[in-house]
Amino acid sequence: MVFFLLSSWNTVLDFDENNNSLVCREINNQLPSVTVEIKDTKAEIKIHNAEPISVSEDMSLKPGMGSTIFDIKYPSRSGPYISLMFHGLYMSATSTGTVAVDKTRNFSWETFRIISQEDLNNLSHFLNNSWYIRSRKEIISHHEISGSGDFTIRIGNFFSTNTEDLIEALEKSNPKEVILFHDVWKTEFLDLFRPAVYYCSFGRPEGFECLKMSISSLREYGEYSGEIKIFTEKNHEYIKDFLPNGNFDRISIEKYTALDNVDYMSARFDTESISSLNEYQPILYMDTDIIVKNPIETVLRSIISDKTHQLQVFKEVDDITHDIYWGNELFDDDPASEKPNFGFSTGIIGFKNYQEISAFFKTIREIIFRQSTIWGTRQIIRCFDQPVANYVLGKFASLGSELLSSIVINFDMEYNNSPEDKYKSYVDNITEVIVHFAGGVGAYDWKLEAMKRFLNCLEEGSSSNEA
């Protein structure tokens, strides 16, 4: 059978083209080109399952010189662990990645774990992502997860686990939640922390100018370096051209054909499209008319740690009966529903897991389409996305409003034309993370200039602080 090899440092055997020799490197998202084929008590190491390697004069392992057949020896450690011996010497791996056949003993550095591709992929996923530790309410970065020798993995400053327990835990877990044992019986629940922010932008250039400012503020003032997805009919080059240099890193364009206003406004709920978010959590949707003023990680941490609510929303009103924007008519027409005690905006929505909310989002789109049949057209229906979202999520989902209501503020238009000193004082006193320039879909006649002025004020403030 063919396997990969892990060293006791939890590094993986691979080929270094620059030095033309085998090394042990950190586990990343690339599969190693070096495999080991085991037949009974013999083992042969190959590159790409084809080119054999052999022991060179300097005791390193190199290709192009024929094949070395190793004798398999079993160390005292139980499980799928082996040592490889040739002419009485054992292959070893150091903490710096050097691999050689140079040891006369059979201890930790001379021990390797054979591992399948599936288990290696699982291990790579764990080691190269950040995780939220529920019991400690802490996020551990992938930079803080490391091998510490003797097949032990250190999880930050919190605890260590052995490689065997971790591989077994990953086999039994799903990619977004790991139940991990350490110190024999102690238990931790770890949630994948791989956030994504997504936007939907279509049509007029002014809308993309808003998107540009929103992304720029998210990167700079929100201090967000994670994944951004843009659902748009525009191509990769169009988006890249209008974004500032450096802001395009970790941005992916999801091609989306929006047929009319109904699609423009409900694309954020199109499950067939946003299913690409399934590998991320937590997830934040934001309208393009949003400026991020302060670091956004506190928002993402709160979403991932919420055990009670499926979605986080921004409460705009306490009483939904005063207008149609929060689904009042729909609740009135459905006697099986109960009116909620607040109405929320669909300009910003946070959720932990795409799978948990996908059925709700799909239902929102379905109701919008069904509503259009009442009037015989999609252009004069009584409710676009926000009323329907309030109805569906208010009736069926578990909504939390405290988080976003504490960190989101709607921009006060009274200050838009105020003198500079008064305007600056207003901006400086905003402590919320997110500023939403709400007030009409596509109302770029005022939104664009208002967002520009706000962002300029932030930039001037940053320049003053740096000086």
Side-chain angles (χ1 to χ4, degrees), residues 1-6 13 31-40 42-51 72 80 82 113-120:
M1 296 180 67
V2 175
F3 297 95
F4 301 100
L5 287 181
L6 291 183
L13 188 67
L31 275 178
S33 59
V34 173
T35 57
V36 58
E37 184 176 354
I38 295 173
K39 295 180 179 178
D40 299 324
K42 303 293 183 181
E44 184 178 14
I45 297 174
K46 294 182 179 180
I47 301 173
H48 299 300
N49 294 327
E51 187 175 3
I72 296 175
I82 61 173
R113 188 198 192 278
I114 58 177
I115 187 170
S116 67
Q117 180 173 332
E118 181 180 1
D119 285 341
L120 184 58

Side-chain angles (χ1 to χ4, degrees), residues 326-356:
W326 299 282
N328 182 52
E329 293 183 37
L330 300 179
F331 285 106
D332 281 342
D333 286 353
D334 181 0
S337 65
E338 181 179 343
K339 287 184 181 178
N341 56 12
F342 67 87
F344 65 87
S345 165
T346 54
I348 176 168
I349 301 174
F351 50 96
K352 176 181 175 181
N353 190 309
Y354 164 80
Q355 289 175 309
E356 286 188 359

Side-chain angles (χ1 to χ4, degrees), residues 304-375:
I304 196 76
S305 63
D306 189 350
K307 300 178 182 178
T308 306
H309 306 106
Q310 294 165 306
L311 298 104
Q312 295 287 346
V313 295
F314 171 53
K315 180 174 70 173
E316 284 195 309
V317 296
D318 291 316
D319 186 352
I320 71 169
T321 63
H322 294 310
D323 220 317
I324 65 171
Y325 301 121
W326 299 282
N328 182 52
E329 293 183 37
L330 300 179
F331 285 106
D332 281 342
D333 286 353
D334 181 0
S337 65
E338 181 179 343
K339 287 184 181 178
N341 56 12
F342 67 87
F344 65 87
S345 165
T346 54
I348 176 168
I349 301 174
F351 50 96
K352 176 181 175 181
N353 190 309
Y354 164 80
Q355 289 175 309
E356 286 188 359
I357 56 84
S358 61
F360 301 137
F361 279 15
K362 186 174 183 179
T363 303
I364 292 169
R365 288 265 293 179
E366 180 67 19
I367 289 177
I368 291 172
F369 297 152
R370 286 175 176 267
Q371 282 283 328
S372 68
T373 64
I374 297 175
W375 299 94

Side-chain angles (χ1 to χ4, degrees), residues 211-278:
L211 174 65
K212 171 184 174 179
M213 288 186 283
S214 187
I215 290 176
S216 296
S217 69
L218 176 62
R219 288 294 197 216
E220 183 172 355
Y221 304 107
E223 299 177 4
Y224 177 73
S225 59
E227 184 74 13
I228 296 175
K229 287 185 176 288
I230 304 171
F231 296 87
T232 181
E233 83 279 16
K234 305 296 186 183
N235 58 31
H236 182 96
E237 289 72 24
Y238 180 92
I239 300 297
K240 190 171 184 178
D241 285 346
F242 78 78
L243 285 174
N245 289 336
N247 274 353
F248 199 75
D249 293 341
R250 302 197 71 178
I251 289 181
S252 57
I253 308 304
E254 303 288 338
K255 199 73 173 177
Y256 189 94
T257 302
L259 301 178
D260 54 21
N261 284 339
V262 172
D263 277 340
Y264 291 163
M265 299 177 68
S266 65
R268 71 200 70 180
F269 301 115
D270 189 342
T271 56
E272 291 185 7
S273 173
I274 66 173
S275 60
S276 60
L277 294 167
N278 194 34

Side-chain angles (χ1 to χ4, degrees), residues 71-84:
D71 292 316
I72 296 175
K73 302 296 181 181
Y74 292 95
S76 57
R77 182 188 301 270
S78 62
Y81 296 87
I82 61 173
S83 295
L84 300 177

Side-chain angles (χ1 to χ4, degrees), residues 293 409 422-432:
K293 186 175 185 286
I409 186 173
K422 185 178 181 181
Y423 182 85
K424 185 176 185 303
S425 177
Y426 168 66
V427 174
D428 289 344
N429 286 319
I430 292 176
T431 59
E432 287 82 2

